[in-house]
Amino acid sequence: MRTRSTPTPPPAAGPGRRAFLAGGLAAAGLGLAGCGPAGPLPGGGRTRLRQWNLFTGGDGARMVEMHDAYRREHPGIDFQPTTYLWGNPYYTKFVMGAAGGRAFDIGTLHLSRLRGLGAGTLIDPVPAGLLAEYGVTEADVLANVWEKCVVDGELYAVPLDTHLTVTYYNREICAEAGVLDAGGELIATSGPEEFFDLLTAVKEVTGQYALSIETIAAWRHFWSLYRQQGGEMTFDGELGIDDDKALRSLDFLRRLSAEGLAPQSSDAPGTPANFQNGIAGLLLTGNWEIATFQNAGMDFGMRPFPAIFGPELGQGDCHALVLPHRRDRDDAAVRAAVEYAAWMLKNSITWAGGGHTPAYLPVAESPEYADLRPQAEYRHAAADVQFDPEAWFSGSAAPLQNEAAAIMSGLHTGAVTPEVALDRLKRAAQRLIDTPEPV
């Protein structure tokens, strides 16, 4: 996930070629070897804990707030967080730092990237027993999320949140369009035609568009629609995909713009702006945009991704905390890192202010979270978050998303048909399958 407070993933495929990693990581190992060891500082001082993350903007401000509180409660920890740019800039640093074996003690990761970034090689297991000592166990996390944290029977990540694609609606516009229920919430629709009828009513009020949708990041919408139909995607030597379900999903995206209900082209800053300015009455994007509209003083609500081809399933991901591989084991640093991860989960009500649903159930099910609006309106959707398909090139800011974005944007402009888009997506996926796994 990314937040709108963070930049849209660039089209570059990131670390993807074995040749690059073979030379780049070797060089990184030499370069990072000069970094001092973690753990207690010389002279018996505080335990050093170096944390890497990819949070800027609104998320970054909340992370700083949490880190300030962590420091106040942990005077014995020399806490040193570092923030890198979202997407490939961060993940390139992450891979090189983990390969060096000494650069940082705990890092942030999109859970969809856990396997592809080297669980068991560049990422060390999290001692589950130690995590339990600090009050976090499997029973404290949604089952679908905890399952993604486990690789070959070992825990490799501690999930901080769930973030997914949801529906925002402008209450004033939607009330005038007659699409709110008696409680002032957006009515639920079932099937594409009911949803198009709703959009048509909203467009009559705005006079421009009904729905704001980021046309250059269409993968999230495609995967939501495809998964609502029960579609699977596999990469075992060759691409496995259900053509009929994929074409249905792609044609739905095409229709949104072809029928004038959504823009033909809308980028990362323009998409929320269209909603904020009343150019569109609804918005499909990640739950991380909440702060943008709250700061603008908008009267808006939220609900899960609409039920177009099945249940209200939306594509999403989790931010998780992981332990990079260490050349030399440092028990004090590991203990400090695991305690930090547990502390972050227990204090994630602050993090929830930015729209992310806490992964830690005692927080997500707390009265404090229930009072957060509109966050609590869609929290049940986290139990059914639709992660990207498993592959080293899949997940947030990974090559598959970037390839799909370039291909699917043409659906909205009318430059390609669903059939052409699907053919190009299949060929791009096969090229990635044929590329040797870099880690």
Side-chain angles (χ1 to χ4, degrees), residues 13 28 36 43 100 145 157 164 228 231 251 277 296 300 315 322 342 391 404:
V145 173
L164 69 167
Q228 286 188 3
D251 189 59
N277 297 330
F300 70 100
Q315 185 271 354
V322 298

Side-chain angles (χ1 to χ4, degrees), residues 46-49 66-79 134 335-344 346-347:
R46 297 182 299 162
T47 297
R48 178 166 52 204
L49 180 62
M66 294 178 74
H67 283 170
D68 286 345
Y70 174 82
R71 282 193 183 93
R72 289 193 297 270
E73 294 183 24
H74 296 80
I77 301 294
D78 177 25
F79 185 60
Y134 291 112
R335 177 169 285 275
V338 172
E339 194 276 337
Y340 162 82
W343 188 93
M344 291 293 288
K346 292 178 181 180
N347 291 272

Side-chain angles (χ1 to χ4, degrees), residues 222 226 229 232 239-250 418 422-423 426:
F222 165 78
Y226 185 68
Q229 302 172 73
E232 301 282 353
L239 175 65
I241 187 172
D242 187 312
D243 285 6
D244 290 339
K245 293 173 181 176
L247 286 171
R248 246 180 250 120
S249 305
L250 294 168
L422 176 58
D423 180 65
K426 290 166 74 171

Side-chain angles (χ1 to χ4, degrees), residues 295-374:
N295 292 339
M298 289 185 66
D299 182 12
F300 70 100
M302 297 172 67
R303 60 173 300 120
F305 194 94
I308 305 300
F309 296 119
E312 293 179 319
L313 302 180
Q315 185 271 354
D317 208 335
C318 297
H319 294 118
L321 300 165
V322 298
L323 305 179
H325 177 65
R326 306 186 66 86
R327 289 183 177 181
D328 303 306
R329 182 171 178 81
D330 186 325
D331 291 336
V334 170
R335 177 169 285 275
V338 172
E339 194 276 337
Y340 162 82
W343 188 93
M344 291 293 288
L345 266 64
K346 292 178 181 180
N347 291 272
S348 56
I349 190 67
T350 300
W351 189 240
H356 307 304
T357 303
Y360 188 58
L361 291 176
V363 172
E365 296 173 352
S366 68
E368 292 82 3
Y369 187 78
D371 288 340
L372 284 181
R373 297 288 169 174

